[in-house]
Amino acid sequence: AQSVTQPDIHITVSEGASLELRCNYSYGATPYLFWYVQSPGQGLQLLLKYFSGDTLVQGIKGFEAEFKRSQSSFNLRKPSVHWSDAAEYFCAVGGGRDDKIIFGKGTRLHILP
Amino acid sequence: EAGVTQFPSHSVIEKGQTVTLRCDPISGHDNLYWYRRVMGKEIKFLLHFVKESKQDESGMPNNRFLAERTGGTYSTLKVQPAELEDSGVYFCASSQEPLSGAFFGQGTRLTVV
């Protein structure tokens, strides 16, 4: 069955520190992978997506993610976080004939000043 | 360019009442999706429209939920009668191409008391 696992429900980092949010997926074919962010009071915003090609994907707001097929992972990274990055982050997978996107449960990021 | 717009942003209704949520997708986007996030759970797919046709409604929880997209523009999601377990945030998303990374609205927070 298709699934997405985000093992960390909450993560706290200091402003300026590096960040890595973990995501593992289970999918029967080549997946389409996404990271979305939801800031307080906002909708879901697409940070980046991977369909094929270069496994290191650059997104908006200085985020990047690396697709590792051997590990079934698509971790999100940022070299230096800003207070405005405090939000909830969702990893998602899609690509089946049914066109659904399956979301992980989300990781809430807290930033210490 | 206007984004995906959802109305209302919040709704509090009593059990047994009817509520209608509306979604205005980005102009020109044929694909329209409804998702729901129940508190503490992951965001789950409800259904997918291509223009005015339901492409996939496998995620609709039961027959108390009715989605329409007359004319292939805006969509409505009606819950009748509402139950306590229907509480959550309902997201609408639209895209030009399937799985291209949909644009999400801010969501409608529905509370059934």
Side-chain angles (χ1 to χ4, degrees):
Chain A
Q2 304 163 13
S3 66
V4 177
T5 301
Q6 293 181 249
D8 303 304
I9 299 174
H10 294 272
I11 281 196
T12 301
V13 298
S14 298
E15 190 169 16
S18 64
L19 171 70
E20 183 169 27
L21 302 182
R22 295 182 291 167
C23 172
N24 291 94
Y25 66 89
S26 174
Y27 202 78
T30 300
Y32 290 61
L33 294 159
F34 309 86
W35 273 99
Y36 283 87
V37 60
Q38 185 178 21
S39 299
Q42 305 294 314
L44 289 163
Q45 182 180 23
L46 180 65
L47 282 176
L48 48 78
K49 60 188 177 185
Y50 171 78
F51 291 166
S52 63
D54 193 345
T55 55
L56 185 62
V57 181
Q58 301 298 319
I60 62 171
K61 303 185 180 185
F63 285 92
E64 66 178 27
E66 186 171 12
F67 170 59
K68 292 186 177 180
R69 184 187 300 274
S70 62
Q71 299 177 20
S72 296
S73 70
F74 189 58
N75 294 348
L76 182 71
R77 300 194 295 247
K78 187 170 184 178
S80 176
V81 297
H82 186 262
W83 63 267
S84 60
D85 293 326
E88 192 162 17
Y89 292 79
F90 296 91
C91 182
V93 64
R97 292 176 61 243
D98 55 17
D99 200 34
K100 295 174 195 173
I101 292 179
I102 298 169
F103 286 85
K105 291 189 175 181
T107 297
R108 188 170 295 277
L109 175 64
H110 306 271
I111 307 293
L112 294 175
Chain B
E1 179 184 276
V4 176
T5 309
Q6 292 186 246
F7 303 97
S9 56
H10 294 82
S11 180
V12 181
I13 61 171
E14 292 184 351
K15 176 182 173 180
Q17 289 186 323
T18 297
V19 63
T20 300
L21 314 181
R22 172 169 169 147
C23 169
D24 287 79
I26 293 173
S27 177
H29 282 190
D30 288 340
N31 294 280
L32 187 148
Y33 308 84
W34 284 97
Y35 288 83
R36 176 175 75 168
R37 189 184 192 192
V38 173
M39 186 176 293
K41 305 278 189 178
E42 59 268 41
I43 301 167
K44 287 201 170 178
F45 169 86
L46 295 178
L47 88 159
H48 172 205
F49 283 100
V50 178
K51 296 184 180 178
E52 67 275 11
S53 299
K54 291 177 184 174
Q55 181 77 11
D56 180 357
E57 54 182 331
S58 61
M60 296 286 265
N62 52 60
N63 59 10
R64 294 185 294 103
F65 288 75
L66 175 64
E68 294 180 322
R69 192 182 183 195
T70 306
T73 54
Y74 71 91
S75 175
T76 57
L77 179 64
K78 180 189 287 187
V79 185
Q80 180 181 28
E83 298 290 344
L84 298 179
E85 64 264 26
D86 300 332
S87 296
V89 181
Y90 290 77
F91 290 102
C92 175
S94 72
S95 67
Q96 284 184 313
E97 297 292 333
L99 291 174
S100 58
F103 293 86
F104 280 76
Q106 292 184 322
T108 294
R109 182 173 296 277
L110 174 64
T111 303
V112 183
V113 297

